[in-house]
């Protein structure tokens, strides 16, 4: 395994760990909002926390799959629709 692959896998793992922390932060903020009552700042903080969790989680998963070599390329599509309907019946 090359250094670049290991570094990408490490970065992906760190992104997933940050996603888990953002999720815990969001859950704590939801609890605080339910306990103390909603304010604009608390609601915005909850949205930011869960937005970070989703963004970091998806990015971390894609980076780890890319490092493992299991990410499918999106530019290769051999379907009939992609070829403009050619080569059908």
């Amino acid at each position: 395994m090359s250094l670049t692959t290991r570094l990408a896998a490490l970065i992906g793992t760190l992104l997933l760990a940050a996603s888990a922390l953002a999720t815990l932060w969001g859950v704590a903020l939801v609890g605080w909002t339910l306990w103390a009552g909603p304010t604009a700042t608390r609601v915005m903080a909850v949205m930011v926390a869960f937005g970070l969790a989703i963004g970091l989680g998806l990015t971390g998963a894609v980076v780890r799959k890319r490092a493992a070599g299991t990410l499918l390329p999106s530019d290769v599509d051999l379907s009939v629709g992609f070829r403009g309907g050619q080569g059908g019946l």
Side-chain angles (χ1 to χ4, degrees):
M1 188 186 297
S2 71
L3 181 62
T4 306
T5 304
R6 288 183 186 193
L7 184 62
L10 177 65
I11 289 171
T13 303
L14 291 175
L15 286 170
L16 288 174
S19 173
L21 290 175
T23 302
L24 293 175
W25 178 46
V27 169
L29 286 171
V30 166
W32 183 32
T33 301
L34 291 174
W35 179 262
T39 63
T41 304
R42 289 184 193 130
V43 172
M44 182 61 72
V46 168
M47 291 191 299
V48 168
F50 287 122
L52 275 173
I54 290 171
L56 292 173
L58 291 174
T59 303
V62 168
V63 169
R64 283 184 48 89
K65 286 183 75 65
R66 176 75 172 137
T70 58
L71 184 67
L72 295 175
S74 61
D75 59 343
V76 178
D77 189 357
L78 302 177
S79 68
V80 174
F82 182 74
R83 294 190 308 245
Q86 303 297 320
L89 303 170

